[in-house]
Amino acid sequence: MLEQGLRELGQAGRTLAQSLRLMVGLPDYGSYVAHLQREHPEREPMSYEDFFRERQAARYGGKLGRCC
């Protein structure tokens, strides 16, 4: 019973952390890799650095850094 409660608490913590990252715009690399493995096993996942740059470009229209 205690183990199940701890697992549920851990899952709730992971879900909360993922939600907070999405709220502030941080991309979720783990979900990206899991999706590729599940849906596109023939594709090689981007490195974390490339993934982060691509997500930033998508979010800010390729403008990194200052707005002006």
Side-chain angles (χ1 to χ4, degrees):
M1 185 80 169
L2 179 61
E3 284 183 37
Q4 181 180 356
L6 290 175
R7 275 185 294 204
E8 290 173 359
L9 183 60
Q11 181 59 44
R14 286 187 292 278
T15 301
L16 177 61
Q18 181 181 21
S19 297
L20 292 172
R21 282 192 294 272
L22 290 172
M23 289 166 87
V24 297
L26 290 176
D28 189 353
Y29 183 71
S31 292
Y32 158 73
V33 171
H35 169 80
L36 274 187
Q37 289 173 343
R38 187 176 58 253
E39 302 294 332
H40 311 282
E42 73 284 357
R43 289 176 52 189
E44 180 79 22
M46 289 183 267
S47 68
Y48 177 81
E49 292 78 14
D50 290 341
F51 172 79
F52 187 81
R53 274 190 235 107
E54 189 274 333
R55 291 287 76 217
Q56 291 293 304
R59 182 173 184 195
Y60 297 110
K63 295 179 184 177
L64 296 177
R66 296 174 16 181
C67 65
C68 303

